[in-house]
């Protein structure tokens, strides 16, 4: 999940897995896999950076997870 800001300055937390594509018009328009469009104040580069940072954090967390109980690892 990434935190962004709608054009009316309302914060929104977005599931980054649902992003289909970004459009760079005067505003950043995020199109979700559902077809819904969200316009945000952040630039496309900022959105991309937040997605990458979020996914790296998830990946890093997965690498540091202890083995499941009963696991042979």
């Amino acid at each position: 999940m990434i935190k962004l800001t709608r054009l009316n300055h309302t914060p929104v937390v977005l599931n980054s897995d649902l992003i289909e594509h970004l459009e760079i018009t005067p505003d950043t328009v995020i199109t979700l896999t559902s077809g819904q469009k969200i316009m945000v104040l952040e630039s496309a580069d900022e959105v991309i950076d937040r997605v990458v940072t979020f996914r790296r954090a998830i990946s890093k967390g997965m690498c540091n997870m202890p083995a499941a109980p009963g696991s042979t690892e």
Side-chain angles (χ1 to χ4, degrees):
M1 304 287 272
I2 59 172
K3 294 180 183 179
L4 299 170
T5 312
R6 292 182 185 265
L7 294 183
N8 65 0
H9 298 278
T10 304
V12 61
V13 180
L14 179 68
N15 180 344
S16 60
D17 291 335
L18 298 180
I19 296 174
E20 184 175 301
H21 65 272
L22 299 173
E23 295 176 54
I24 304 167
T25 62
D27 301 307
T28 303
V29 180
I30 301 171
T31 302
L32 305 178
T33 56
S34 66
Q36 180 182 0
K37 293 187 179 203
I38 299 173
M39 295 172 59
V40 297
L41 292 174
E42 290 81 6
S43 70
D45 287 336
E46 288 175 287
V47 174
I48 292 166
D49 288 343
R50 290 180 190 188
V51 170
V52 169
T53 300
F54 171 71
R55 292 191 180 181
R56 281 185 182 149
I58 295 297
S59 180
K60 184 177 178 182
M62 294 296 284
C63 292
N64 294 332
M65 288 181 63
S71 173
T72 57
E73 292 183 43

